[in-house]
Amino acid sequence: MALWPLLMVAAAGTAVAQTIEPSAVVLAAQRNAIVNWAEYASANNILGWDAATPVCSWTAVVCDAAGAVTSIDLGCNSAGSIGGGSSQFCATKALGTLAPELAGLQSLASLSLNGQSFIGSLPPAWGSGGFPQLTTLLLSNNALTGSIPDSWATGGFASLTDMDLRGNPQLCGPVPPSLAPAPLTNISAGFGGRFDNPAYDGIPIDACLTFGRDCGKPAADYFCTLAGYPSALNFSDPVLLSPAGTIQVDTILPSEMSVCSSFFQLCQTFAWIQCSPA
């Protein structure tokens, strides 16, 4: 499908050249990278994403007052159902690759493509100064492969505070330290199924499935299923977060999604969990 640099419109028998918005060309590259776009868009009632509709009217696209694209939310939660945040489109999942051209959206603050069926590697073009305004990058629960490109650690993502790459079993390698300085506060990589300091919504996972019961492997297994893996392969010894005389740190009990308050209780977590391959 063409990327429509110009659209020829017939008006009173005369061909008129209409210039397409630059952001439309960029977003069309991602649309074209989804090989089942027609089926995906129809099943999920995605409107626009064509030359005839203004970009800011496209489903899942948000613009600022000046018309710059600030958010793209084509995410789907892991359960395949509608939920809060980025989980709208689940009837049919998008199959394709991540478009390098998206890095050209200089005002983009949030990109949610989680819970789909994207394959291939993370685009190197997204680094090296790309996405200067991006604060949230959600790519969890896809089928992405490889590792974080070197270019991602050399000047890109200057504003990033929340990155989620969990649930991509074929992603491997460490998160480059230069990609995760302050203010990056919530980075959830899970490369190759390993999760350091495993957490849910920023709260450390408790080492017990319920308060004081089913500690160790049952809790680790449950966490791995939440992250899209069948079970835990290995895990650290439980770590006491708030020994006497220290600042209290709460944990979250994975099966109940309730908080273990360290003010009243001794809350333990895992330093790391290694989930088994999918």
Side-chain angles (χ1 to χ4, degrees):
M1 189 176 293
L3 294 184
W4 350 295
L6 289 178
L7 175 66
M8 302 305 293
V9 181
T14 303
V16 179
Q18 176 182 333
T19 302
I20 301 302
E21 301 167 76
S23 57
V25 177
V26 170
L27 291 172
Q30 182 58 70
R31 182 205 62 193
N32 293 342
I34 297 175
V35 297
N36 65 334
W37 175 262
E39 177 188 2
Y40 168 66
S42 175
N44 297 299
N45 196 31
I46 299 175
L47 305 178
W49 292 78
D50 55 39
T53 309
V55 168
C56 297
S57 298
W58 293 4
T59 300
V61 174
V62 175
C63 300
D64 62 17
V69 175
T70 59
S71 175
I72 303 169
D73 188 351
L74 290 172
C76 169
N77 67 23
S78 59
S81 60
I82 293 175
S86 53
S87 53
Q88 289 88 340
F89 314 116
C90 306
T92 295
K93 294 188 176 184
L95 173 62
T97 56
L98 303 176
E101 291 87 347
L102 288 180
L105 297 174
Q106 295 295 294
S107 297
L108 192 67
S110 178
L111 176 59
S112 301
L113 298 172
N114 51 296
Q116 301 294 349
S117 295
F118 287 106
I119 62 174
S121 59
L122 301 171
W126 286 13
S128 300
F131 293 130
Q133 303 299 320
L134 195 72
T135 61
T136 301
L137 177 62
L138 305 181
L139 299 174
S140 60
N141 298 311
N142 280 286
L144 300 169
T145 58
S147 60
I148 290 182
D150 292 340
S151 61
W152 282 35
T154 56
F157 305 103
S159 303
L160 195 65
T161 60
D162 188 352
M163 181 172 71
D164 194 345
L165 301 175
R166 293 173 294 181
N168 290 283
Q170 300 305 311
L171 276 177
C172 58
V175 177
S178 56
L179 186 61
L184 187 60
T185 55
N186 182 21
I187 181 166
S188 304
F191 290 142
R194 180 184 170 96
F195 294 83
D196 293 312
N197 303 311
Y200 183 87
D201 273 353
I203 304 175
I205 288 289
D206 198 272
C208 296
L209 198 57
T210 59
F211 181 68
R213 299 180 57 187
D214 297 322
C215 303
K217 184 167 174 54
D221 282 342
Y222 196 89
F223 173 81
C224 288
T225 62
L226 291 177
Y229 297 86
S231 62
L233 186 66
N234 204 353
F235 49 90
S236 71
D237 292 332
V239 176
L240 184 62
L241 281 180
S242 303
T246 65
I247 297 174
Q248 278 73 39
V249 179
D250 296 336
T251 59
I252 190 164
L253 298 162
S255 69
E256 301 174 352
M257 289 303 164
S258 60
V259 172
C260 170
S261 173
S262 60
F263 186 80
F264 301 103
Q265 302 152 343
L266 296 177
C267 306
Q268 301 182 94
T269 188
F270 299 101
W272 56 268
I273 295 176
Q274 176 66 56
C275 298
S276 59

